[in-house]
Each structure stands twice: as C-alpha cells, then as structure tokens.
Amino acid sequence: MKINFVAFLDPSVHHGGGEQITSTLLQEGERRGHTFTRTFKNPESLNYDKDADLNILWDINNCPEQNNPFDKNWINGIVNSDIPFIYGTGGYEDICSLGTLPCNGETDGEICNISRSHRVFGEGGIYRAHPKTCPAKERASLLKKAQLCIFFSDLHKSMTEKVIGEVNSFIAIPPVNGLEKYYDMEIERDLDLLSYGGHLEHKGFFNILEEFPDRDCAFIGGGIHILLQLYRYGRFGGKVPQEQMPEVLNRAKTFVHMPRWPEPYGITTLQAALCGCEVVENENSVVMRGRDISEVVEEIKQWERCGPIWNKIEEVTS
C-alpha cells in the first residue's frame, strides 16, 4: 500500500518511548512492502500523497507546549477525505490539554473542570497553564471516524472511551527490546525502595510519599525533582543510561510504581520483576497486574516488531 504517515515528532530525530513505537512500526511496514510519505511537525516536513491508499495519523496533537500544531483545517481534510485512516496514540494528548488526564475522564469534553489548585499545576507537575477548555469533544471525530484506533492497554482504551464514547479499537503492546538483559544478578541490594519517574506528580510522587512515608526511596529518571526537596523525601539519582538500568534495578529490594495518571503502558515494572525486585504497584500500573512474569514476557515477544499491529491494519483495510 501507499501510505501517508502523519505524526508530530519525527522518530528519526526524536527517540522517546512513543517514537520508538513509530520507528519500529515504519520499519516493519517497509519490510512488508508498504511505501510511506512522511509528514512531521518537529522537525517540520510537510508531505502528502493525495493518491495514497491509507492514512496513518499518530499522536498528531503531541507536545502542545511547543505551540506549533498541525493546521486544523488540514487535519480535518484528511479525516473527512475518501482515503481511510488509522489512528494511533500513546497517551491522552488528543483528549486532554494537560496530557495526564487529572480529571480521570470525568469531563463534559468542553470545559476543563480541574481546579487551579490541583497539584498538576504545582511544582513537579506538567508546567502548563490552565487550559480552561477541554478539547475532547472537538477532537472526538479524529478517533470516531478512524477505521481503527490503536491503544496500548485496556486502561488506555477504557479511559479514552470514557471521555469520547466507543470507537473501533485494537489493543496492542508496544515493541520492547532487550528484555534478556534484565535478570537477577544476585548482587547486594543496597537500595531499599526505588522508583522510576516517581519524583513527578503524574508519575505518583504523592502516592509513594503517602504509602511509604518512612522508607528511604531513591528516584531515577528525567525531569525536575523539586518535590523531593520541598517535602524532604527521598533522594534523586537522575537519568540512568539504558545500559545501566539492569544493574540499578538489581540493587533495589522493592520497586514501586504508583502513577496518579491512568498510564497507557509502562515497562519498568516488568524489568524490575525480571531483576528480582519486589514490585509494588497501584491500579494505574497496567503491565504486571499480579501476572506471572513468564506470561508477560511471552506476550511481549509476540509484538517485538509490531507485526500484530500490521496484521490488524492490513485486515481492516483489505
């Protein structure tokens, strides 16, 4: 097929979790013989094949803080054209101007009902102004008109549909590579409690503080760690290079993951379990959910190259 692929971030330049998904998706599509015309906003590369067989739109409302959105009329033209389209999303930016769904899906889709005193606007939050309005109702057609919407967990799907209603959906698992590097090295565990990203509000800082007020928690990952200073809680290790993560996880007795937001997918709980940590999670952590490690690993292996995603795309567009 000739396919227009439209996303906000170019995965050949940006390498976050979402871009690892789109990069693998494009590689597997090319391996299957599909050809792509690519359109991105960062860096900007606006191309579009009017004779394409299929449009794939992916996280087109990502990074609103960059104030460089796609033209609404141009996107509406794609959505309402005769070319069928697939929509993929790794989060909630399409239905939430704050990205992390602090309303937990309780919205009319028009007005942002989050109080300005909510911690999402405070230190360690997302550092965005109160949007006043909610984009969900306006953007609902983006998902409702798609032949297929791709989500990455039951929670991801259910929270989105709670806001905009039922859509034609497919629940996938993002490609995860290198799990063989995560195993119990049987070394000294000198970290009592470890969290990846939990120094941020939406990643669960206040949940961890409430659950483990007297534990010495080490936090790793990117982002501002000012909450640790303000509440005099825990210590910060900063970003850890990917190749060092297995050893760091092996140093932890307990790995805690208690996000405030309904996280679409998060692989660190599995990596920690593979490394022999006790894993503590809440209802917003979707990967392990008390399941057997081998079951989760086997499930993930089937999705390594986005093959099942392409199988579904080819099925619904045949």
Side-chain angles (χ1 to χ4, degrees):
M1 286 188 289
K2 293 189 299 181
I3 301 173
N4 287 310
F5 188 85
V6 183
F8 190 86
L9 296 177
D10 182 345
S12 69
V13 177
H14 301 276
H15 307 291
E19 291 68 63
Q20 292 177 37
I21 295 171
T22 51
S23 177
T24 304
L25 190 71
L26 288 165
Q27 291 171 13
E28 176 62 12
E30 289 176 333
R31 191 189 70 81
R32 291 176 176 232
H34 302 301
T35 58
F36 294 93
T37 299
R38 295 166 168 81
T39 296
F40 307 109
K41 286 296 284 184
N42 185 349
E44 190 162 275
S45 176
L46 303 179
N47 306 288
Y48 187 75
D49 181 2
K50 293 181 179 180
D51 297 318
D53 304 302
L54 177 68
N55 291 323
I56 296 180
L57 309 182
W58 202 285
D59 277 338
I60 61 171
N61 293 302
N62 205 359
C63 306
E65 68 278 1
Q66 295 187 15
N67 295 314
N68 183 33
F70 280 107
D71 181 80
K72 287 183 181 179
N73 292 330
W74 187 73
I75 292 296
N76 287 335
I78 293 177
V79 170
N80 296 310
S81 74
D82 293 331
I83 303 174
F85 76 96
I86 305 292
Y87 196 79
T89 174
Y92 300 104
E93 295 284 5
D94 296 308
I95 60 172
C96 177
S97 297
L98 299 173
T100 62
L101 214 62
C103 71
N104 208 38
E106 300 292 342
T107 176
D108 64 1
E110 296 181 351
I111 304 298
C112 179
N113 57 17
I114 299 301
S115 169
R116 295 176 187 274
S117 63
H118 192 286
R119 286 167 169 165
V120 72
F121 298 115
E123 298 290 0
I126 60 168
Y127 297 100
R128 296 181 189 175
H130 194 291
K132 299 181 181 178
T133 60
C134 173
K137 192 170 183 178
E138 179 186 350
R139 295 177 182 169
S141 63
L142 183 62
L143 286 79
K144 284 180 170 292
K145 290 185 177 181
Q147 278 201 263
L148 188 70
C149 289
I150 299 171
F151 300 109
F152 287 105
S153 66
D154 289 323
L155 181 62
H156 189 198
K157 165 181 153 59
S158 65
M159 291 305 298
T160 301
E161 292 187 330
K162 181 179 179 180
V163 175
I164 66 168
E166 189 174 350
V167 298
N168 296 320
S169 61
F170 178 62
I171 298 175
I173 292 177
V176 178
N177 298 313
L179 282 181
E180 69 280 355
K181 299 176 184 177
Y182 294 85
Y183 59 92
D184 190 344
M185 299 176 181
E186 299 184 354
I187 61 176
E188 180 185 359
R189 296 188 180 271
D190 60 334
L191 299 176
D192 179 42
L193 191 64
L194 178 67
S195 169
Y196 181 83
H199 52 287
L200 302 173
E201 182 273 334
H202 75 285
K203 288 285 190 178
F205 174 80
F206 294 100
N207 290 336
I208 296 171
L209 176 62
E210 181 179 352
E211 186 72 18
F212 301 103
D214 301 318
R215 296 276 291 271
D216 179 21
C217 188
F219 295 90
I220 56 175
I224 297 173
H225 62 286
I226 191 169
L227 288 174
L228 277 62
Q229 300 167 357
L230 290 175
Y231 288 84
R232 297 182 180 180
Y233 179 75
R235 47 194 165 123
F236 188 57
K239 285 187 177 181
V240 175
Q242 196 62 40
E243 63 272 14
Q244 295 178 20
M245 277 294 291
E247 183 176 353
V248 172
L249 289 171
N250 265 271
R251 292 175 54 195
K253 296 175 183 175
T254 303
F255 182 84
V256 58
H257 189 61
M258 304 179 70
R260 185 271 300 157
W261 75 317
E263 188 173 61
Y265 199 83
I267 197 62
T268 50
T269 50
L270 172 60
Q271 293 169 335
L274 287 169
C275 289
C277 302
E278 174 194 13
V279 175
V280 176
E281 53 189 341
N282 66 1
E283 69 279 1
N284 286 332
S285 177
V286 300
V287 177
M288 292 301 295
R289 291 286 180 95
R291 293 189 294 166
D292 183 77
I293 297 176
S294 59
E295 175 190 345
V296 180
V297 170
E298 188 58 36
E299 181 181 67
I300 286 174
K301 283 181 179 180
Q302 298 174 21
W303 296 80
E304 282 181 339
R305 293 171 59 179
C306 291
I309 297 179
W310 275 110
N311 292 342
K312 188 64 177 181
I313 291 174
E314 291 165 351
E315 173 191 326
V316 301
T317 56
S318 62

